[in-house]
């Protein structure tokens, strides 16, 4: 698969979504985020994230990494609202160009 087939959707995800070269580089592999075990379910977030048009053609390893970054940096209430379809991924606090760390980690996921 040519790199451009992966790079374009992945760069759109990083730029438009936030974000956030393997899972270890993304800082965590827990199944849920947040302290106390009351965090967002990783499987649910990944399933929702895969429905994004720009996620088509992006390898599962990169998507998993991006979801780990979302869990690490994203506002838990915003992540749950995203899963529930109440907000778009662009609206999740803690992600995007305003958070340089999440953006750097997201780029590592797709490079």
């Amino acid at each position: 698969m040519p790199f451009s087939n992966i790079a374009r959707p992945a760069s759109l995800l990083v730029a438009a979504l936030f974000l956030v070269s393997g899972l270890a580089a993304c800082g965590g592999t827990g199944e849920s985020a947040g302290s106390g075990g009351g965090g967002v379910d990783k499987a649910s977030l990944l399933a929702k994230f895969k429905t994004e048009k720009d996620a088509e053609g992006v390898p599962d390893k990169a998507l998993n990494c991006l979801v780990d970054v979302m869990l690490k940096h994203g506002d838990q209430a915003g992540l749950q609202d995203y899963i529930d379809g109440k907000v778009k991924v662009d609206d999740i606090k803690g992600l995007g160009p305003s958070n340089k760390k999440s953006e750097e980690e997201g780029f590592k996921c797709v490079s």
Side-chain angles (χ1 to χ4, degrees), residues 19-103:
L19 259 150
V20 186
S21 272
L23 291 175
C26 292
T29 58
E31 293 303 311
S32 65
S35 57
V40 173
D41 178 62
K42 180 179 177 178
S44 298
L45 182 58
L46 181 60
K48 174 67 175 173
F49 195 57
K50 285 182 174 183
T51 67
E52 295 289 338
K53 183 178 181 188
D54 290 334
E56 293 177 16
V58 178
D60 284 343
K61 183 176 180 179
L63 291 176
N64 271 297
C65 182
L66 291 168
V67 166
D68 283 339
V69 174
M70 293 172 73
L71 289 169
K72 181 178 177 183
H73 295 283
D75 172 70
Q76 295 300 294
L79 291 170
Q80 188 61 55
D81 286 346
Y82 170 67
I83 291 170
D84 295 340
K86 297 177 183 176
V87 299
K88 295 182 185 232
V89 73
D90 296 336
D91 300 325
I92 301 170
K93 292 178 185 174
L95 304 176
S98 64
N99 184 338
K100 296 296 182 192
K101 188 69 175 167
S102 72
E103 196 170 47

Side-chain angles (χ1 to χ4, degrees), residues 2-12 110:
F3 179 72
S4 63
N5 289 348
I6 296 170
R8 185 178 187 286
S11 66
L12 289 173
V110 297

